[in-house]
Amino acid sequence: MKIIREIAELRKYRAEQQSGGRTVGFVPTMGYLHDGHLSLVNRAKQETGCVIMSIFVNPLQFGPNEDFERYPRNEERDLDLARSAGVDAVFLPTVEEMYPSPIRTKVIVSDVTERLCGASRPGHFDGVATVVMKLFQMVQPDKAFFGMKDAQQVAVISQMVNDLNLPVEVVPCPTLREQDGLAMSSRNVYLNEEERAQAVVLSRTLDQLELWAREPGMTAELLEGKMRSSIEAMPLARIDYAEVLSFPALQQIQGPIAAVSASQESLPAAQWIAALAVRFGSTRLIDNRIFQGGVRLV
Ligand code: PAF
């Protein structure tokens, strides 16, 4: 596995793949890899000839009071995991390599960033879209692989790719879960034992949705209320948001949920998302499910 730290070297490696006739799959990460990341690598290996992973904790997507400094990092462990997963090259730039001077050009995606994490983490998606755009320029991937735990991120990146005609296919991949259902996340290591035990309430609540959504006359508002009550049953849980919106446009839904109609939504029609962000102590966890009418898709 090739370890690359400089943009110039990355561009050279990319050009070699091109001359060798290999398509490039890209897995952008912030490191502290878990099985969720490795499942993206696996998918990329199935669909492309060469897999490049980036590991970069991007300061631009963290707010001033967020966990940039304490975000878990372990380069040696990450490299071992990436190597055993069959990654061909890992790009590990420093902050100085990525941002040699204060950045004055940003990618700002509107509308899909208005709610959910976009509302509770102002500026977060500007940082995500900007770094992903920069990485796309450097790696020039044919396909890029993103986990659906960050469904809003997938919606934002897809919007950016469409709006700016970027020659890359965004491949959304399923969320990987621990045995009890907790969505895998690098931030799960922050949870103490009691918080970890209660954190399962996110996936359990979302599991209930399929039943609730089929109740006659069920609306987004009623579902949000049910999600809130379920989460609030856990004494350590503090809700950041519990929302039901159209997907991928992430707009409010009017009327009964099982009848969300194609006319309310551009492509793909009639999909909606139930999304949660919940704090346990200083750890903020997110999770979601995507449905079509009353039927769960992801
Ligand atoms: O999902 C992440 O880990 C990050 O937001 C990403 C896409 C690597 C950009 O920093």
Side-chain angles (χ1 to χ4, degrees), residues 186-198:
S186 307
R187 288 188 168 99
N188 290 351
V189 293
Y190 298 152
L191 298 168
N192 67 30
E193 210 177 315
E194 215 179 335
E195 291 166 346
R196 172 64 187 80
Q198 294 193 18

Side-chain angles (χ1 to χ4, degrees), residues 88-134:
D88 296 289
V90 177
F91 177 49
L92 288 148
T94 58
V95 173
E96 292 67 35
E97 182 72 1
M98 288 296 282
Y99 302 112
S101 54
I103 190 151
R104 298 202 168 82
T105 308
K106 286 189 185 171
V107 180
I108 297 173
V109 179
S110 61
D111 294 333
V112 280
T113 54
E114 260 169 30
R115 294 167 190 274
L116 307 179
C117 294
S120 52
R121 303 182 65 188
H124 168 66
F125 286 118
D126 302 349
V128 170
T130 303
V131 80
V132 171
M133 181 66 170
K134 279 167 74 74

